[in-house]
Amino acid sequence: NIMPYLEVGHIYREQGDFETAKSWYAKALDQSPNNFTAVYFLGLTLYQLEDDAQARYYLQRAVDLKPAHAASAYYLAQTLKRSDESQAALEYLERAIGFKDAKPWRWLVELGDWRYADGDVQGALDAYKEALDNQPGDAALLNKVRELEKSP
């Protein structure tokens, strides 16, 4: 039973002690190498430690174990973005957004920002408008849409 290892890992992660949390998630994986929860939380903890190579490995494993788990795809996208792999990051962020019934508007804004940084103005505008559908009245977002609509 790996639940005690996971629970202790969660406690340390919530306290911000990511190094100790990492060791408890690793102990859980020693007992159950393909346990999704252990793989995901180890990947997330490594992401928080900015160990992008290892975070990528475990988050990719989490995506492989549960392809429709939005948070795994989201944090894998974040890790790829930090590693300057913009296209792969965009694909995983789009995938993460697609898995959520209620679209997380912050993820949509981030998608718009990433698309804009890659020169995809129309793609950015589409993402911002979808975010506005989910969070109407956001003044900063509305300004981004207006500015992009003015651009040629």
Side-chain angles (χ1 to χ4, degrees), residues 133-151:
D133 289 343
N134 291 285
Q135 188 72 18
D138 184 298
L141 186 53
L142 192 53
N143 285 336
K144 282 185 179 193
V145 168
R146 288 180 180 146
E147 288 300 314
L148 286 182
E149 288 177 333
K150 288 180 191 174
S151 66

Side-chain angles (χ1 to χ4, degrees), residues 81 90 93 106-120 123-125 127-128 141 144 148:
K81 183 72 172 172
L90 274 168
L93 183 56
R106 282 183 169 78
W107 292 8
L108 288 162
V109 171
E110 195 164 20
L111 178 62
D113 292 345
W114 291 6
R115 285 178 174 168
Y116 185 76
D118 280 356
D120 180 3
L125 190 56
Y128 293 148
L141 186 53
K144 282 185 179 193
L148 286 182

Side-chain angles (χ1 to χ4, degrees), residues 69-80:
H69 188 253
S72 297
Y74 176 79
Y75 285 107
L76 180 56
Q78 295 296 326
T79 301
L80 291 165

Side-chain angles (χ1 to χ4, degrees), residues 19-138:
E19 285 293 338
T20 304
K22 177 178 81 168
S23 70
W24 283 97
Y25 294 134
K27 289 176 187 180
L29 277 179
D30 288 343
Q31 300 296 314
S32 182
N34 291 315
N35 179 279
F36 168 78
T37 303
V39 170
Y40 168 70
F41 278 104
L42 181 55
L44 178 60
T45 302
L46 290 162
Y47 167 79
Q48 291 167 311
L49 287 166
E50 298 184 17
D51 183 347
D52 291 336
Q54 286 295 303
R56 179 180 181 169
Y57 171 78
Y58 285 102
L59 291 168
Q60 182 64 62
R61 279 190 60 203
V63 167
D64 292 344
L65 288 167
K66 269 196 184 172
H69 188 253
S72 297
Y74 176 79
Y75 285 107
L76 180 56
Q78 295 296 326
T79 301
L80 291 165
K81 183 72 172 172
R82 274 199 315 220
S83 300
D84 293 324
E85 296 182 53
S86 296
Q87 189 56 45
L90 274 168
E91 291 170 15
Y92 277 102
L93 183 56
E94 289 168 351
R95 183 175 176 176
I97 291 168
F99 293 141
K100 300 293 261 185
D101 290 334
K103 303 281 188 242
W105 72 275
R106 282 183 169 78
W107 292 8
L108 288 162
V109 171
E110 195 164 20
L111 178 62
D113 292 345
W114 291 6
R115 285 178 174 168
Y116 185 76
D118 280 356
D120 180 3
V121 174
Q122 186 58 52
L125 190 56
D126 292 344
Y128 293 148
K129 285 181 177 180
E130 190 174 350
L132 270 176
D133 289 343
N134 291 285
Q135 188 72 18
D138 184 298

